[in-house]
Amino acid sequence: MNVQAPEITARSWAMIATLGVVWGGTFMVQSIALQSTPPFWVASARIGFATLLTWVVWRWRGGLMFTTGQTDWPRLTLVALLSSAVPFMCLSWGQQFVPSAFAGVSMASVTLFILPLAHLFLPGERMTLRRTLGFLLGFAGVAALIGPEALSATGAANESWGRAACLAAAGCYAVSSVMMRRLPPIDPIGLTFATLAIGALLVIPVAVLAHGAPANPGLTGLLVLALLGLVPTAGANLLRILVIRSAGPVFMSLTNYLVPLCSILFGWLLLSEQLPASLFLGMALILSGVFLSQWGALTRLFRRP
């Protein structure tokens, strides 16, 4: 299959920054949702609200899916399961047993999963020495930002399984990002709807089998679930697909360095939490890693025409 080389523009950088901000608050919102709703119903509500919204937008835009005669429904189905259904369930279940800081570290590991996969399967995404050093710098920045307490055991029951679930979600995001680049030409809105709708067909039956019928979470709980589905799932999933299809999965993985940084800044701005001393070291390492790994894209972006 012919896969075009990634094209990184100012729009790509803007979408990456937006995703970092939106996903930076997702773990906090999901933790609140888990206080009133079982984990698989949290995942079901998240994907259900997102599916309804994207279906409306998709139909309004004409209901396009594959834009040429070339289709690949088996690959699209697998992408859907690995980019929405499975990671949503893994994260919802895993966050019962691990600190949100560990979930942030596990999302940063998406980059390390993507690097060798993209090197093997996608043109223009080779693991040069500069790129590899840049991403390792960024990962070190995330580790410094979160701190060693994120990796220390709490002694909670099923903590090891919770950690494994978070890392499994990261692996799913990495594999689906690479596979998404190899799909035939497809409408971005249609791809967003398909990944969510196919995922919902798995998540909702699992929730019924695991928890029975959904209980009433109350008005506040319902609003939290709706927010979780509409903003960091429906809206952000569309942005994620646009970035992957145009700029590539390696560039998309930069988001996973921004998420924990944004999470800490949200805590400072909204919850009056103190800024940790590690914030400035982590920020310096992350920005240095981005600068090093994306040097070519940055020079093209700011080069005079």
Side-chain angles (χ1 to χ4, degrees):
M1 182 181 298
N2 183 27
V3 181
Q4 292 183 346
E7 181 182 356
I8 300 171
T9 64
R11 184 167 173 260
S12 306
W13 286 99
M15 289 191 289
I16 281 288
T18 302
L19 286 171
V21 172
V22 171
W23 281 338
T26 299
F27 293 117
M28 177 181 66
V29 176
Q30 186 153 282
S31 295
I32 296 172
L34 286 168
Q35 295 174 7
S36 60
T37 307
F40 293 148
W41 276 120
V42 169
S44 295
R46 180 180 181 181
I47 202 171
F49 278 114
T51 300
L52 289 175
L53 176 61
T54 52
W55 177 78
V56 171
V57 176
W58 178 61
R59 293 297 301 170
W60 176 65
R61 289 285 300 272
L64 296 175
M65 190 61 67
F66 291 102
T67 56
T68 66
Q70 185 181 11
T71 63
D72 194 341
W73 285 101
R75 187 186 297 271
L76 176 57
T77 299
L78 186 56
V79 166
L81 297 180
L82 293 178
S83 66
S84 60
V86 177
F88 288 177
M89 289 190 294
C90 286
L91 287 172
S92 295
W93 186 85
Q95 273 197 259
Q96 299 176 102
F97 311 112
V98 300
S100 59
F102 181 85
V105 171
S106 66
M107 291 303 99
S109 69
V110 171
T111 302
L112 300 184
F113 286 123
I114 282 180
L115 276 174
L117 291 172
H119 175 79
L120 291 173
F121 298 111
L122 297 177
E125 300 280 22
R126 301 305 179 199
M127 285 180 63
T128 63
L129 178 61
R130 176 175 52 78
R131 172 173 283 181
T132 303
L133 289 176
F135 279 107
L136 290 176
L137 261 180
F139 187 76
V142 171
L145 190 67
I146 300 298
E149 62 274 7
L151 303 178
S152 61
T154 64
N158 293 321
E159 182 179 10
S160 297
W161 289 108
R163 290 170 180 264
C166 290
L167 291 172
C172 288
Y173 283 134
V175 173
S176 66
S177 294
V178 172
M179 292 184 65
M180 195 177 291
R181 278 283 289 170
R182 296 180 64 84
L183 284 170
I186 188 169
D187 179 73
I189 304 293
L191 179 55
T192 305
F193 169 66
T195 56
L196 293 169
I198 294 171
L201 295 177
L202 172 65
V203 177
I204 294 175
V206 169
V208 172
L209 291 173
H211 306 304
N216 183 3
L219 179 59
T220 301
L222 186 62
L223 291 175
V224 170
L225 291 171
L227 175 65
L228 192 61
L230 298 179
V231 179
T233 306
N237 196 46
L238 173 59
L239 283 183
R240 173 178 178 260
I241 286 172
L242 289 173
V243 173
I244 291 170
R245 295 287 285 175
S246 59
V250 173
F251 182 79
M252 171 64 210
S253 68
L254 294 176
T255 305
N256 301 292
Y257 293 154
L258 301 178
V259 168
L261 179 63
C262 292
S263 298
I264 290 177
L265 291 176
F266 274 139
W268 174 57
L269 292 172
L270 302 180
L271 303 177
S272 299
E273 296 176 351
Q274 292 186 344
L275 291 177
S278 59
L279 173 66
F280 302 101
L281 173 61
M283 185 184 301
L285 288 171
I286 289 171
L287 294 178
S288 297
V290 170
F291 182 82
L292 183 60
S293 64
Q294 296 298 320
W295 171 255
L298 285 167
T299 54
R300 287 192 299 272
L301 180 63
F302 294 107
R303 183 182 298 146
R304 291 180 180 271

